[in-house]
Amino acid sequence: MTDYVEDGKNGLIFESGNTNQLADKLLDLLTHPDKRRCLADSGYQTVQSFSWQAVAINIMDIFRQI
């Protein structure tokens, strides 16, 4: 998962079970609308690279190279 998620850029990473760390990160987003918007936009762009269409295009490119 951490190969795709960059903490604070396109998602949030926190230590498993560390509710204080999660709460701090969420509070930061709640109090900074610009950060929240950038995180959401970057996360959406990251997810788009894993759509069925994007995966199919990548597979076809691999087949063409072979």
Side-chain angles (χ1 to χ4, degrees), residues 44-59:
Y44 182 76
Q45 288 175 355
T46 300
V47 170
Q48 290 305 304
S49 66
F50 299 103
S51 70
W52 285 113
Q53 182 177 4
V55 171
I57 290 169
N58 288 336
I59 291 172

Side-chain angles (χ1 to χ4, degrees), residues 22-64:
L22 173 59
D24 289 344
K25 289 177 181 261
L26 293 176
L27 183 59
D28 185 50
L29 290 178
L30 285 171
T31 57
H32 296 95
D34 291 340
K35 275 187 185 181
R36 187 171 59 239
R37 218 174 345 271
C38 286
L39 184 71
D41 291 345
S42 293
Y44 182 76
Q45 288 175 355
T46 300
V47 170
Q48 290 305 304
S49 66
F50 299 103
S51 70
W52 285 113
Q53 182 177 4
V55 171
I57 290 169
N58 288 336
I59 291 172
M60 292 306 296
D61 288 343
I62 291 168
F63 284 142
R64 285 186 195 103

